[in-house]
Amino acid sequence: MISPLPTFYLIVPVFNELGNLDRLLASLRLVTESHAERYRVRFVVVDDGSSDGTPERVRDLGRDLDLDLDLLANPVNQGPGAAFARAFEHLAATLDPSDWVLTLEGDNTSCSELIGQMFRRAEESYEVILASPYMYGGGITNTSPLRVFMSHMANAFVKEMLGVHGILTMSSFFRLYRGSALLKLQAYYGPAILERRGFECMVELLLKMIYLRMTISEVPMLLDTSLRTGKSKMNVTRTISGYLALSRRTSEWHRVAQRAPLPELARSPS
Ligand SMILES: Nc1nc2c(ncn2[C@@H]2O[C@H](COP(=O)(O)OP(=O)(O)O)[C@@H](O)[C@H]2O)c(=O)[nH]1
Ligand SMILES: [Mg+2]
């Protein structure tokens, strides 16, 4: 049966998040309840070769909490960029311009309380909303001052290197997209949208949105690392080299944005 409601997809990449899953999916269950009148809520969780029982627990929780959930599993770890690419490709056949897609972290640090504010901002007609720790009113807490400093430096460095001005947070996973925006990205860059497999994927996505002149806004977010159990999986050296690799692709991505979209994928009203 075709649902009369638009779909609200929540895409969550996970890698060894067993300690965070119960709380994560229980809090996202509340999101499902609070949006039930306006959207059909569907979860797309992408596991990436976890060795701690993450995919099994996701499946159990999906059943226990009665979530509409697709679990995609890569047997071998490929990185969060590859996971998002797989999820976008998974949506390509069914995504409608009136749908909404939220991408978020699986470690409980993407505060679900912010989702309402992201929707309100999007309703001002923005195509994409970024949760933004580097914006006034946001911040990073329960993290050492050295790490906070390094994280600000990395964000500023990436912006300068790639010539991005006017956007405060470059690499947050936590974002809300209009279905029409993702369809447009797919029409230009293919159903997976992303090339980069590592943590730099979110910067790649942001650049492609900028090259397509999409409307982007940010809402302040307090990133509280005490909300997660376990450590960050981001490998700093690999991510820096990923950022450098991005800079070698920007002129090609820019060129692609100047040409007509791939006709077989151009379903979005632009
Ligand atoms: N699918 C997939 N997800 C990953 C991978 N590495 C990290 N993640 C997920 O990506 C999100 C961000 O990772 P996290 O370790 O919290 O990085 P940080 O927030 O930068 O410290 C979390 O949901 C992780 O489970 C990976 O290799 N594959
Ligand atoms: Mg995290």
Side-chain angles (χ1 to χ4, degrees):
M1 192 185 78
I2 296 173
S3 165
L5 296 175
T7 304
F8 177 28
Y9 293 96
L10 291 91
I11 300 179
V12 196
V14 286
F15 181 49
N16 290 336
E17 294 292 2
L18 186 64
N20 291 311
L21 291 173
D22 287 46
R23 185 157 159 206
L24 176 80
L25 291 178
S27 71
L28 294 180
R29 174 84 183 91
L30 298 176
V31 175
T32 312
E33 280 163 14
S34 60
H35 288 85
E37 281 180 19
R38 297 174 70 190
Y39 309 109
R40 173 182 175 208
V41 180
R42 295 190 63 187
F43 294 82
V44 180
V45 178
V46 192
D47 178 65
D48 214 10
S50 293
S51 54
D52 65 349
T54 287
E56 294 79 7
R57 188 69 192 143
V58 169
R59 210 178 286 287
D60 288 351
L61 286 166
R63 194 193 47 237
D64 296 350
L65 297 168
D66 194 23
L67 302 178
D68 184 348
L69 183 148
D70 290 338
L71 173 62
L72 312 177
N74 295 331
V76 177
N77 183 264
Q78 296 178 27
F84 280 122
R86 178 134 187 234
F88 292 146
E89 234 172 339
H90 181 72
L91 297 195
T94 50
L95 189 64
D96 186 87
S98 64
D99 293 338
W100 295 87
V101 179
L102 188 81
T103 54
L104 70 163
E105 294 199 32
D107 64 356
N108 284 313
T109 57
S110 303
C111 344
S112 52
E113 308 86 71
L114 220 57
I115 295 172
Q117 198 188 341
M118 294 166 96
F119 267 112
R120 281 194 294 282
R121 181 64 57 81
E123 278 152 15
E124 290 169 19
S125 93
Y126 288 100
E127 293 171 281
V128 185
I129 310 299
L130 320 176
S132 183
Y134 302 110
M135 182 178 190
Y136 175 74
I140 304 177
T141 187
N142 289 314
T143 304
S144 74
L146 179 64
R147 279 195 79 100
V148 174
F149 174 74
M150 283 172 52
S151 149
H152 276 271
M153 293 300 286
N155 191 57
F157 168 74
V158 169
K159 277 168 59 164
E160 281 312 308
M161 180 181 73
L162 299 170
V164 175
H165 300 108
I167 295 225
L168 294 161
T169 295
M170 295 292 291
S171 65
S172 167
F173 280 29
F174 193 19
R175 296 174 176 173
L176 179 66
Y177 303 84
R178 285 180 181 271
S180 55
L182 280 183
L183 284 167
K184 186 168 181 180
L185 282 154
Q186 289 177 324
Y188 282 83
Y189 296 102
I193 302 171
L194 294 166
E195 287 175 24
R196 301 297 312 169
R197 300 185 150 220
F199 279 75
E200 70 279 10
C201 64
M202 285 291 117
V203 179
E204 175 186 348
L205 194 49
L206 187 62
L207 286 174
K208 288 176 171 173
M209 295 188 294
I210 292 170
Y211 296 154
L212 286 170
R213 306 187 67 78
M214 290 187 171
T215 51
I216 302 171
S217 187
E218 298 177 71
V219 296
M221 168 179 135
L222 185 64
L223 176 62
D224 182 353
T225 54
S226 72
L227 295 173
R228 73 172 183 222
T229 64
K231 290 200 178 338
S232 170
K233 280 108 196 161
M234 191 188 68
N235 177 307
V236 175
T237 318
R238 202 178 305 143
T239 303
I240 291 172
S241 84
Y243 285 142
L244 295 174
L246 284 181
S247 63
R248 295 192 285 275
R249 295 291 295 143
T250 51
S251 48
E252 168 64 9
W253 295 336
H254 200 258
R255 199 181 57 73
V256 169
Q258 309 302 311
R259 70 170 194 220
L262 305 171
E264 70 275 20
L265 292 165
R267 287 197 288 129
S268 98
S270 49

